[in-house]
Each structure stands twice: as structure tokens, then as C-alpha cells.
Amino acid sequence: MMSLNPVQIFKMGAEEEKSETARMSSFVGAIAIGDLVKSTLGPKGMDKILQSSSTNEALKVTNDGATILKSIGVDNPAAKVLVDISMVQDDEVGDGTTSVVVFACELLKEAESLVSQKIHPQTVISGWRKAVDAAREALTNAARDNGNDPVKFKEDLLNIARTTLSSKILTQHKEKFSNLAVDAVLRLKGSGNLDAIQLIKKLGGNLSDSYLEEGFLLDKKVGLNQPKRMENAKILIANTPMDTDKIKVFGSRVRVDAVSKVAQLEVAEKEKMKLKVEKIIKHGCNVFINRQLIYNYPEQLFSDAGVMAIEHADFDGVERLSLVTGGEIVSTFDCPEKVKLGTCKLIEEVMIGEDKLLKFSGVELGEACTVVLRGATQQILDEAERSLHDALCVLSQTVKETRTVYGGGCSEMLMADAVSKLAAKTPGKEAVAMESFAKALRQLPTIIADNAGYDSADLIAQLRASHTSGKHTIGLDMQHGRVGDVAQLGITESYQVKRQVLISGHEAAEMILRVDNIIKAAPRPRAPDHRHH
Amino acid sequence: MNQLPTQIAFDEYGRPFIILRDQERQSRLTGIDAHKSHILAAKSVASVIKTSLGPKGLDKMMVGPDGDVTITNDGATILDRMDVEHQIAKLMVQLSKSQDDEIGDGTTGVVVLAGALLEQSEKLLDRGIHPIRISDGYEMAAKIATDKLDEISETFAVDLKEKEPLIQLAMTTLGSKIVNRCHRQMAEIAVEAIMSVADFDRKDVDFELIKVEGKVGGKLEDTMLVKGVVVDKDMSHPQMPKVVKDAKIAILTCPFEPPKPKTKHKLDVTSVEDYQKLREYEKEKFESMVEMVKKTGANLVICQWGFDDEANHLLLQRELPAVRWVGGPEIELIAIATGGRIVPRFEELTQEKLGKAGSVREMSFGTTRERMLVIEECRNSRAVTIFIRGGNKMIVEEAKRSIHDALCVIRNIVRDNRIVYGGGAPEIAASLAVQEAAENISTLEQYAVRSFAEALESVPLALAENSGLSPIHTLADVKSRQVKEKNPFLGIDCLRKGTNDMKVQHVIETLTAKKQQILLATQLVRMILKIDDIRAPNDMSM
């Protein structure tokens, strides 16, 4: 009878996957994500084209793991975990977004084979935990700190920038851009405040026409009939309505009984605006920059007073301007003596390509600078911006945490070596898990070599042999397809980034491995989408 | 749907006689069938979360209706996110929730126990024992079991200076969660938090004073305890100072905006004079607002509402840093921590109502421009914030839940300082006691009591199974040793430390939690056993 029917405890549409099936589905999902971004890893990695489903969005060409993963919609829950760690890596250190996903995925691949050998996930996890500690220790011991020696440190930074950029589209102009990025970051004088570095993209020319501009560029135009060039500018940065100053008292409205009254009110309004402009000019400024619109009437008043007025600088622009020129953002104009004006030596209009921009040079905050990127297509520009942003992030992190490690697969092999040694000493099943951890670490240089089209098995064997015999500076030389001394090749990476890759990759893999049951709620019913037909 | 003959009556002409309206459109289960169906549902719920029990338990991945992913080990959370429809399964979910509300921990155990009790009652039903007799037997057995727990419990010295035992306790709770990578650190944080908040005279802990805040990024080891309040906000104007020392805080719930009378009104501007007057008034209003705050000597404003651009700048000009859009609960916490009063009107602001804090600073993270405000060295140092960091969103969420569990456990020990040792030891001891008592019962209930004893063993069984031990073998071994050595602290050695004595392993649980588990599970099972008829609209899948 009825009691023999299976009892459905979930809602219709809800699903449950148990032990083997659940584990399988997480492994498959995670590995698929790993394989997807795997081919972008390393200096010879390939790019991906991302096309959005909505037609109005331009397509992207990118090599950046975080950007790729952000754009693909994933449904598999384990895959979502990996996408998430990639995002966090991007926010936290800015680079290594692909490595972290690939590492987690390699760990899971190893776990899959261990679990199929009937080793309990918890055993694997406890083995991994010991392995990650060993690897971290090895990495910390191998890190060098040149923070006290400015010349060597700059060399380190240049190397890091070159290493980071070598896997990106900017690799052709690696030298130029790494110098550019290091210059920009060093100007910050250790503050690590990336706000002071502005990236402006202008279509046209080619990548090698890009340059670093001292000071600040604002993509705005000066009002009509106003001076186009201003020396020793005193800048008032404002956030105030310059259209009609509304009365903010709630519920007020104008009710008049004659047309003449309207005219009078209009005059009063105009009067008010004039008063405001006068007050602004009384501050002694000769440049006025407003976040909001400036209507024609006040603009004209400013022209009469010979003040350069710039309207509609967006919020970011205004904040940055106030940062670089040292002025404050002003909204009331009653006590001119208290307002701090921003200053700069020279404001002038410059041409970049076909566009006119305002250039603020000789600003108070010497740290600020602008990188102007030129490129043939929007895609190139976007990708260049992302690459440069990655490099800048890594550099600014390195300025804070000055330790560096060797790249080119060298650090991974070093860690793998340490983990293997520990595994050899450990009795019990955990040793198998540790060995698998080492294997996953070795996969990263393997993938780099594979992507460059070299014989990875041979190269990795050589690498491994050198590391086991104690030569800990040997890594992959992907320019020539052989192993080499990365200390001489100058392939350097930030310690911070490497450590974060290790830790987050392991954290995510552990989290996925611990799962033995996936329960999916019924998807929320949505109204059918009638927009596209 | 099958119509049971009893559901339809016929009159003398053989025509069906409708007793209940729409009965052909309802599905109905009665008698033993209903019981069987309930038991099956409850068992499948229990089997879902059984594998997350114990220190070696595994996690569950929950996918929400919008595709959001949660990974957790917490029984209450798993059941809460499970999209359950079956009525009995819903009851199980509520059972876990009530354990969570009451105790905060042991949410998995209670469901496993209830599932086992129902499974046992299925066998008894098959033997033809009436459900009510079974439920009476369970009631008796529960009484015996809890008495036994009282007997084997030990008192636990809650001492401010001696934190070590408390840390052990917290570590037992955290043992099964993913945060056990920084096991000790998390336990210390939880103990520290409770100790700074606990009121030992009243034997209570005010959870309102502990805020658990998470931020994705960094690593789990960066988790810290802030003796103060962390608010996910920054200064309203980018140029306001990032650090305020010796802050005197005005806590406002009124906006820095032109006043808005609540009564509906209209203000007509009919002439130029009116217009100008209104302008003056508006300006004055802003000035006086800032002036009023300034006059009290405040050097920081925390406001629940927004600021007008003009007001914002005025504040900057008068060197009065301000924070806007601070949420209601947060503002309360700030008020408690700094000893300030929440002021709803500018006019009512006085010097005495200001809150005081040693330092208020902005903290920034990583490469993005996210900032948080940390208020430290408050006048009332009792409010604390646990600030959790982690590699991804799911881990931060899970860490939050785990910390919450640990906090609950420590609170319980402050309330009632009796403990039992964990690892399945109390269940085995109780099971033995119930078994023994069963022999002395002369009525039918004897069978039910004996089944109860067997059901109690389900928890140690699941523990052993999850730890990769041979469950029945291990349990038999421990049970016989408990009897032989007369040591009720022997349990399952999940971590393979080489000893079964949980007292030596420092696996500690609170007595209240254990007792509550048994009582709640018994109650629910009794309720389910009493149901013998379900009616449901037919379109549901029965």
C-alpha cells in the first residue's frame, strides 16, 4: 500500500546527492574549472575570449583568472567555491588568481584518487594540514628580504613586475611596463595607496606609446571662454548643486498668483546663484571643480571672473583630485578662511590621441601619477589595464611585505621537496596524503611547461633532481625551454602572493573534500523572461 | 489514489455516502501505515546528517534556491537550509532548531537520537505493541537516562583565572568544524569573549554584547578578538581624520538634514521675501545642528541616517568627524560599549550623553578600498567583537556558526557548571542504566525501555562509524569496559589518541546540553507516535 512508496521528504525539485555521488560531483565540477583556466597559466599561457550573452556588451580577451571566472556562470557548487577563492585572491593580493584555482583543482584530483583507494577524507585532510605547514615553513625560509637595500629592492621589484607581466598581453613590452609600474609604485613611497595611480585608456596608437605622466589627468573639458591654461592654480573642489539651488525644507513649493511674481522669484533665484558664485570666488581660487553640473549662468559668471570652472567630475575623480592636490571637498562657502584649497603648479589642456584632457602637474602630493595606456583595440586596452593593475597590486603588496621568493616553478618545487621529505618521515596513511600534496605542488610547473609546449615530464624530472640534491634556485626557463638558475634569470615573485596561493588553495580544497552530501533546494520559480525573442 | 474501504460509507441502496467534504481529493494515511510513513521520513532526515556527527564528521554542501552555496557541519543549519516538505521531516527540523535556540550546540545529536528512537519503535510496532505504550515506555526510560546523567556529572570550576578547562570545553565543540585548523586559537577567542562579557553574579551572559563580524580575505589565523566594536562603515567625508583618540561620541538617530515635520503639510512660497527667508532658515538650521553637537564637546558623530552634502562639509569644516548610515543594532552596541546614550534630537544632546572610547580608527584591507571602523578602549569594556577572516565566503560563514556554537557552550557552563564527558560516554552509561532498569519493569513497557537503551547507542555508533572505526566492535568493547571498570567516562576514541577515557582526553560537554538532547528527542518521538492519521491535499506527493 501507500507505506511502501518511497517517502519524499524534500520539496519537488529539490535534490540530494550522497557520499560517492556528491564527492564525484564536487570533484568533477572543481576539476572542470581548473582545466578551464589551466591553459592560461605561465608565460606561454593562452588567452580566452569571453562573450557575454547580452549583445550590447563588448567581448573580452583576457588571461586573468579572476576575470575569466567572474564572467562564466557556474552552476556546480564546488566550482562556485573555486570561483570565490579566485575573487578573494584578486581582492587581497591582486595576482595569482589562476594559480590558486589550478592548485586547488590539482589537490582535488589527487584527493579523488586517494578516496578511490578507500582512504578516508579526514585522513587526507590531516595529512594535508601537516603538509601545508611544512610547505609554508619551507617557503618562509626560502624568502629573501631586500627591503633595507633600496638598490637591490628596486631590482627585486623590477623582477617581480617582469614575472607578473610576462604571462600577460604586455609581455612584448615587458621591460617598458615593468619600469613604468615600478616607477609608479615607488612614487607612492611605501604607502601602497593605489588610489594615487590613475590608469587612463585611450584608443589609438599602440602599446609602446603608453607612458607615465607625472601628476594627474582629468578627462574633462574647461567651460567656454575660460582660461585653458592656469599657472599656480588654486583649486576649489566642490560638491554642490550649481544648477538651481533647491530649497531642501520638506514640503515646500512655490505658489504664486501672478506672472510677475514668477519673474521676481526667478530673479531671486538668479541672485542667489550669483551670491553663491561670488562667495566661491571669494575663496581666492582660480580653478573651480564641481562634482555636479554647472549651469550656463554660473559658468558665465565664472568666465567673467576669469576662473576656470570644470563641471561634472565624477565622484572618483573628485576624491582623487582632493587627494592629489591636497584640497578639501567643499559644500558650503561661508567661511573662506577655513577652507583648504588644493594647489598645483600648472593646469593645461593636453591632447592624447584625439581627445583633450586636463593635466594637473606639479601637484602637492608628489606621489600621484597617471599611466596613459594606448592600444589598437578596446580589448587590448582592457586587457592591458587588467595586467597593469595586477602588476601594480603585486608591487604595492611587495612594498608592504618586502620578502620575495623565486618564481618559475622554483618555489613550488622547493615546497614539494620539503613536503616529500616530511612524508618520508611520517608513519601511517597520512604520508600518502602528504605525498599527494607534493605531487599537486609539482603539477604547477608541469602545467607551465606544458602550456609552453615543452616536454614537461623531462623538465620536471630535472627540476626535481636538482632540488633533491639541494640546488634550491633551479626553476623553469621558459624562454629557452630548459631548466635554469632563476636567481640569475631574475624570475622573482612576491612572497605574499605565493603564500596566499598555498593557503587559500589548500583551504578551498579541504573544504570541498570535507563535503559528503550535497542538498540542493528547489530553484526559486521565476517569471519567464520575455525580453529576448 | 487508493481509497481505503473504511473511508467510504454506503447507504442501504449501495450508494456512497460522503462524510468528509472533498475526501476523494485528499490523500489519507491511517493507523500503522501512518506510523510507518512517519518513521521512514524521520529516519531519512536523520541519515542525512548522521555523517556530520563527531570530530571526524564530514560537511554538507547546501545549494540555496538562488544557487548560493553554503558548506556547513552544523546540524541546525543543514536542516534549516534543506528544502524539506514532508510534515514529519519538518518536525525534525524544528526539533533541531529548538535545541539550537535553547542550547546552541548538539543540534546534530538530537536529530540522530530522535531518528534512532523512531527506528526502534518501528520494530516494536511490528510486534504489535500499541504506540501509546511505546511512548509511555520511552518517557520512563528518558527519566532513568537523565537521572543517570545527573549521577555521573561532575561540577566544573568556572574560574576567571583558570581558563584552561574552559578552552578544553570550547575545543570539544569546535573539534567537529572546519575551523579546527586553528583549533586552540578559536577556542581561546571564544573563551576570552565570554569572560569579558559574562556576569558571574547573575550567572548569565548577554549575547547582545558579543558581535561576530566576518570579512572575506586573509587567512583563518588572522581572526581576532577586538575589545570594542567593529562597524562596517567609514567616515562620511574622505578627508576626515582616520583616527580619533579619546573620542567623545555623539550617537544620533536624527539626520543632518533639513527638518521634516511628520504631519503632512504644505509650505507655500508666494513671494521673494519668503524665498529668501526660507533660504536663511535652511542655512541656520544646518549651522545650529553642527553647533549643538560641537557645544557638547563631542569629537565624533555616529549617526543612523544620512547627511546632506552641505552638512557633511560643515562637519568637516568644524573638525567633527562623522559616520553615517550606521545600522540600528550596531548603534545600540556602540551605545552600550561606549556608555553613551542614543539621542533622537539635537536639542537633547548634552555632555553626559556622549559615549567615550580610547581610540576610533579606520582599518583598510587588501587591494580594494574597503574600510571598517574599529572602536576600542571603550568605557564599558564588556562589549567585544570577534572579527573573523578566511579565504572564502563559505569558510567565513562556517567559522561564524562554529564560533557561535562555542560561545553558546561556554555560556551554558557559566549558567550551570555541571558537565559530562563527551565522546559517546554519557550515552553508553545512560544506555547501560536504562537496560538494567528495563529488567525490573513488569509491564509491556519493558520492551520500549529496552529499545530506548538501544537507541541511545546510536550516537556512539555513528561517532565510531564516522571516525572509520568498526562501529559495533568498538561499541561492544567500550560497553563491556564501562561495566567491568565501573568507569562511566569511557567513550569512543575518535581521534585515535590511544585512550578511551574521555576525562583524560579532555572531551567535555555540558550536562544541560546532553539532558536537553534526550528530553527533546523523547518529546518529539512521543508526539509523532501519537499521530495515527494524516490528511493532505492530494496533489502533494504522498
Side-chain angles (χ1 to χ4, degrees):
Chain A
M1 292 283 289
M2 253 170 276
S3 58
L4 295 177
N5 296 340
V7 179
Q8 170 85 27
I9 59 164
F10 296 111
K11 250 185 210 137
M12 290 288 282
E15 284 173 54
E16 189 195 4
E17 286 169 2
K18 279 196 168 174
S19 51
E20 260 82 57
T21 341
R23 227 168 255 139
M24 172 92 87
S25 115
S26 347
F27 286 151
V28 168
I31 289 167
I33 289 290
D35 284 345
L36 180 81
V37 291
K38 199 155 102 177
S39 62
T40 64
L41 200 69
K44 300 277 166 91
M46 307 297 257
D47 290 1
K48 309 254 174 234
I49 284 190
L50 303 169
Q51 193 163 15
S52 161
S53 57
S54 58
T55 42
N56 47 11
E57 215 171 296
L59 58 87
K60 286 186 205 149
V61 179
T62 183
N63 183 289
D64 182 42
T67 314
I68 298 172
L69 293 178
K70 213 183 291 177
S71 317
I72 53 170
V74 289
D75 187 39
N76 186 291
K80 277 186 184 151
V81 175
L82 289 190
V83 173
D84 201 50
I85 56 164
S86 180
M87 299 299 137
V88 174
Q89 179 84 5
D90 197 24
D91 287 351
E92 201 65 12
V93 288
D95 193 32
T97 49
T98 314
S99 311
V100 68
V101 174
V102 172
F103 179 51
C105 151
E106 289 303 331
L107 274 177
L108 286 172
K109 265 188 198 163
E110 292 299 325
E112 190 183 10
S113 74
L114 290 181
V115 171
S116 67
Q117 288 168 33
K118 298 278 175 246
I119 294 180
H120 196 273
Q122 289 284 8
T123 317
V124 179
I125 286 167
S126 64
W128 280 1
R129 282 189 179 171
K130 286 182 187 146
V132 86
D133 287 340
R136 207 159 126 192
E137 206 188 312
L139 190 69
T140 316
N141 290 338
R144 295 156 309 131
D145 190 353
N146 282 337
N148 300 322
D149 185 349
V151 182
K152 272 193 182 161
F153 186 56
K154 189 167 179 195
E155 191 53 39
D156 270 353
L157 286 181
L158 275 173
N159 282 335
I160 291 177
R162 262 185 233 126
T163 314
T164 308
L165 291 175
S166 65
S167 61
K168 318 275 175 179
I169 195 166
L170 299 176
T171 182
Q172 298 294 326
H173 314 281
K174 198 158 70 178
E175 229 25 71
K176 183 185 170 67
F177 279 101
S178 45
N179 276 320
L180 204 143
V182 171
D183 280 350
V185 169
L186 283 182
R187 289 177 74 97
L188 299 178
K189 300 191 191 82
S191 74
N193 185 357
L194 287 179
D195 289 351
I197 302 175
Q198 193 192 12
L199 292 175
I200 284 191
K201 298 176 283 182
K202 280 287 162 210
L203 211 58
N206 63 36
L207 278 174
S208 56
D209 294 338
S210 308
Y211 60 97
L212 181 78
E213 184 80 67
E214 236 180 89
F216 183 78
L217 285 173
L218 190 68
D219 198 352
K220 286 284 171 283
K221 286 195 188 63
V222 181
L224 274 178
N225 301 325
Q226 286 166 357
K228 299 275 182 265
R229 189 185 148 90
M230 189 68 80
E231 274 179 59
N232 290 326
K234 292 200 264 312
I235 309 163
L236 184 71
I237 304 156
N239 175 15
T240 185
M242 289 300 275
D243 35 11
T244 45
D245 212 355
K246 277 183 233 89
I247 294 172
K248 287 167 197 150
V249 177
F250 186 72
S252 64
R253 60 171 187 178
V254 174
R255 175 174 277 176
V256 288
D257 41 21
V259 182
S260 60
K261 286 256 176 80
V262 177
Q264 276 171 14
L265 268 174
E266 212 184 315
V267 172
E269 252 178 18
K270 240 182 183 169
E271 198 60 29
K272 189 185 173 193
M273 189 43 75
K274 197 168 174 185
L275 252 159
K276 196 169 181 180
V277 173
E278 270 164 18
K279 269 191 211 154
I280 289 169
I281 295 170
K282 225 184 270 168
H283 284 72
C285 62
N286 50 16
V287 179
F288 176 74
I289 299 171
N290 193 11
R291 190 175 81 82
Q292 299 176 28
L293 285 175
I294 303 178
Y295 268 26
N296 288 352
Y297 178 64
E299 188 183 326
Q300 182 199 330
L301 290 173
F302 280 122
S303 304
D304 290 348
V307 171
M308 183 192 260
I310 300 159
E311 63 166 8
H312 218 241
D314 49 31
F315 206 81
D316 249 15
V318 164
E319 268 191 32
R320 229 182 230 151
L321 255 177
S322 74
L323 177 78
V324 298
T325 61
E328 65 185 47
I329 301 171
V330 184
S331 296
T332 55
F333 306 97
D334 293 324
C335 359
E337 63 284 353
K338 279 195 189 156
V339 171
K340 214 174 139 224
L341 294 179
T343 51
C344 79
K345 293 254 159 51
L346 178 70
I347 301 176
E348 60 181 342
E349 268 192 348
V350 287
M351 296 277 290
I352 297 178
E354 290 163 358
D355 296 317
K356 281 187 202 157
L357 276 82
L358 279 177
K359 182 178 155 193
F360 297 71
S361 45
V363 292
E364 186 171 283
L365 191 81
E367 301 162 7
C369 59
T370 303
V371 178
V372 180
L373 288 172
R374 307 298 311 276
T377 70
Q378 194 61 44
Q379 280 79 17
I380 290 181
L381 278 179
D382 287 347
E383 177 63 1
E385 187 192 8
R386 276 191 291 272
S387 315
L388 203 57
H389 175 255
D390 277 9
L392 288 175
C393 284
V394 174
L395 290 177
S396 73
Q397 290 289 329
T398 318
V399 171
K400 280 189 202 152
E401 159 68 271
T402 51
R403 281 181 282 180
T404 55
V405 291
Y406 291 119
C410 171
S411 310
E412 281 85 1
M413 292 307 283
L414 181 94
M415 290 190 272
D417 192 39
V419 174
S420 285
K421 275 189 190 138
L422 180 69
K425 273 185 272 177
T426 313
K429 284 185 205 164
E430 285 175 1
V432 187
M434 287 180 199
E435 197 46 60
S436 76
F437 195 90
K439 213 166 145 196
L441 277 170
R442 281 191 202 105
Q443 280 298 315
L444 287 170
T446 312
I447 294 166
I448 293 177
D450 275 338
N451 284 347
Y454 296 119
D455 181 358
S456 63
D458 181 40
L459 285 174
I460 300 307
Q462 285 184 38
L463 259 186
R464 194 174 171 176
S466 332
H467 275 269
T468 319
S469 60
K471 279 183 256 169
H472 286 313
T473 55
I474 303 295
L476 293 171
D477 175 3
M478 280 298 100
Q479 297 306 322
H480 304 97
R482 58 174 187 228
V483 296
D485 191 341
V486 279
Q488 276 165 21
L489 290 167
I491 304 176
T492 312
E493 285 185 56
S494 148
Y495 166 71
Q496 175 98 355
V497 172
K498 267 273 132 52
R499 193 189 57 187
Q500 195 70 27
V501 166
L502 179 75
I503 293 172
S504 326
H506 162 249
E507 214 164 63
E510 178 183 327
M511 203 157 179
I512 294 172
L513 185 60
R514 276 177 69 103
V515 169
D516 76 331
N517 212 332
I518 301 176
I519 298 164
K520 286 187 189 153
R524 201 183 293 285
R526 287 201 176 77
D529 193 352
H530 294 298
R531 280 175 301 177
H532 307 291
H533 278 293
Chain B
M1 185 78 17
N2 308 336
Q3 295 266 317
L4 294 175
T6 48
Q7 273 178 265
I8 302 166
F10 295 91
D11 61 10
E12 61 263 45
Y13 303 111
R15 286 180 306 208
F17 205 69
I18 293 166
I19 305 165
L20 293 166
R21 197 152 60 94
D22 289 342
Q23 75 174 5
E24 67 278 12
R25 262 187 271 140
Q26 286 183 327
S27 68
R28 183 172 182 215
L29 275 182
T30 46
I32 211 84
D33 281 335
H35 282 121
K36 287 275 173 69
S37 150
H38 296 157
I39 289 165
L40 209 57
K43 256 163 61 184
S44 48
V45 172
S47 78
V48 168
I49 64 167
K50 210 170 173 176
T51 52
S52 51
L53 197 73
K56 297 264 168 162
L58 292 167
D59 291 0
K60 307 275 170 281
M61 197 184 266
M62 323 291 302
V63 184
D66 298 318
D68 45 322
V69 179
T70 313
I71 296 182
T72 183
N73 185 287
D74 181 45
T77 315
I78 297 172
L79 291 174
D80 187 41
R81 302 283 159 88
M82 227 156 84
D83 214 356
V84 161
E85 198 179 55
H86 194 280
Q87 310 84 334
I88 300 302
K90 272 187 184 153
L91 285 178
M92 301 288 273
V93 172
Q94 269 172 22
L95 169 71
S96 172
K97 211 178 256 166
S98 62
Q99 172 86 6
D100 196 30
D101 292 345
E102 196 68 15
I103 308 292
D105 187 36
T107 48
T108 314
V110 69
V111 176
V112 171
L113 187 61
L117 282 173
L118 283 170
E119 199 175 336
Q120 292 295 333
S121 53
E122 189 178 9
K123 285 184 203 148
L124 298 175
L125 286 172
D126 282 346
R127 288 188 181 180
I129 300 177
H130 192 273
I132 295 297
R133 302 297 289 268
I134 300 175
S135 99
D136 286 349
Y138 279 179
E139 179 78 24
M140 288 161 76
K143 178 90 180 57
I144 299 164
T146 48
D147 286 349
K148 179 70 186 172
L149 288 183
D150 279 336
E151 190 190 315
I152 64 166
S153 70
E154 292 189 352
T155 48
F156 184 88
V158 180
D159 189 352
L160 270 177
K161 284 170 212 91
E162 198 51 55
K163 282 183 190 147
E164 193 51 36
L166 285 173
I167 293 172
Q168 299 284 1
L169 176 73
M171 279 171 76
T172 309
T173 311
L174 292 175
S176 58
K177 320 279 177 184
I178 192 159
V179 294
N180 62 10
R181 199 155 40 106
C182 336
H183 205 160
R184 177 142 194 117
Q185 188 194 355
M186 290 291 175
E188 275 169 12
I189 286 175
V191 172
E192 194 71 35
I194 292 279
M195 286 299 121
S196 36
V197 176
D199 182 343
F200 287 98
D201 300 331
R202 275 198 306 131
K203 288 202 166 193
D204 201 5
V205 178
D206 190 359
F207 266 16
E208 296 273 292
L209 291 174
I210 303 177
K211 195 171 160 223
V212 183
E213 185 80 45
K215 189 97 185 165
V216 178
K219 46 192 187 302
L220 217 48
E221 283 89 338
D222 296 338
T223 300
M224 59 182 173
L225 181 74
V226 179
K227 295 225 166 170
V229 188
V230 178
V231 188
D232 196 356
K233 288 279 174 299
D234 55 1
M235 296 290 181
S236 65
H237 197 289
Q239 279 152 333
M240 285 177 180
K242 305 285 177 235
V243 182
V244 181
K245 291 272 168 209
D246 291 320
K248 293 186 203 56
I249 307 166
I251 304 160
L252 298 172
T253 51
C254 43
F256 272 98
E257 266 165 19
K260 276 184 196 170
K262 287 197 184 71
T263 38
K264 212 174 161 196
H265 71 289
K266 268 182 205 139
L267 191 79
D268 287 346
V269 179
T270 48
S271 69
V272 178
E273 290 82 59
D274 282 0
Y275 180 78
Q276 267 154 357
K277 254 188 240 155
L278 208 58
R279 252 174 54 199
E280 285 304 314
Y281 169 74
E282 205 180 279
K283 213 184 305 170
E284 246 167 55
K285 205 71 207 171
F286 280 133
E287 296 264 338
S288 71
M289 279 177 193
V290 179
E291 203 44 52
M292 264 187 265
V293 179
K294 197 73 191 167
K295 218 166 54 198
T296 57
N299 56 6
L300 179 69
V301 178
I302 297 209
C303 186
Q304 199 177 3
W305 302 101
F307 305 158
D308 193 271
D309 281 342
E310 277 177 46
N312 202 0
H313 179 251
L314 262 177
L315 285 169
L316 174 72
Q317 216 167 40
R318 302 283 155 87
E319 285 152 12
L320 202 59
V323 187
R324 58 180 153 186
W325 297 122
V326 181
E330 279 149 353
I331 242 180
E332 266 173 40
L333 202 61
I334 294 173
I336 296 170
T338 60
R341 291 268 295 278
I342 299 174
V343 180
R345 272 172 213 277
F346 287 100
E347 289 78 17
E348 284 168 23
L349 197 65
T350 59
Q351 204 176 347
E352 298 83 60
K353 287 180 181 169
L354 297 181
K356 290 194 179 61
S359 104
V360 178
R361 64 194 162 89
E362 261 186 19
M363 195 162 62
S364 57
F365 302 99
T367 60
T368 47
R369 288 202 283 161
E370 283 185 72
R371 300 198 187 92
M372 274 183 158
L373 207 65
V374 184
I375 304 173
E376 279 172 319
E377 298 162 41
C378 303
R379 185 196 275 168
N380 180 355
S381 65
R382 284 174 55 219
V384 293
T385 305
I386 297 173
F387 189 61
I388 297 174
R389 307 298 312 272
N392 55 50
K393 197 173 69 211
M394 295 106 193
I395 215 162
V396 171
E397 289 299 313
E398 176 67 357
K400 265 192 196 173
R401 282 189 288 270
S402 313
I403 286 274
H404 175 254
D405 279 10
L407 289 176
C408 287
V409 170
I410 306 171
R411 177 197 57 183
N412 293 341
I413 201 86
V414 172
R415 277 189 185 160
D416 182 353
N417 61 2
R418 282 176 301 167
I419 52 150
V420 287
Y421 293 94
E427 282 88 354
I428 298 175
S431 159
L432 285 169
V434 173
Q435 195 105 48
E436 210 182 292
E439 314 297 333
N440 300 328
I441 296 169
S442 55
T443 52
L444 244 179
E445 280 84 3
Q446 191 194 61
Y447 289 91
V449 173
R450 205 174 284 142
S451 302
F452 192 91
E454 263 174 57
L456 276 174
E457 283 168 10
S458 63
V459 173
L461 272 177
L463 273 179
E465 200 176 333
N466 291 343
S467 312
L469 301 165
S470 154
I472 298 174
H473 187 248
T474 319
L475 180 65
D477 182 44
V478 175
K479 228 162 108 179
S480 72
R481 279 182 58 195
Q482 273 213 11
V483 178
K484 235 183 282 164
E485 298 171 23
K486 297 223 167 16
N487 182 355
F489 306 140
L490 292 174
I492 309 289
D493 180 17
C494 302
L495 298 167
R496 320 248 170 111
K497 283 194 181 161
T499 172
N500 285 75
D501 195 331
M502 291 298 139
K503 202 172 174 179
V504 180
Q505 281 206 17
H506 293 294
V507 182
I508 309 169
E509 285 181 67
T510 54
L511 175 69
T512 25
K514 269 275 125 56
K515 266 167 81 177
Q516 192 75 14
Q517 267 186 4
I518 294 181
L519 291 176
L520 277 179
T522 314
Q523 252 175 41
L524 178 87
V525 169
R526 274 165 55 87
M527 189 171 104
I528 292 177
L529 284 175
K530 272 190 159 169
I531 305 169
D532 74 336
D533 195 344
I534 333 169
R535 302 186 157 274
N538 212 358
D539 54 1
M540 262 164 52
S541 51
M542 276 289 298

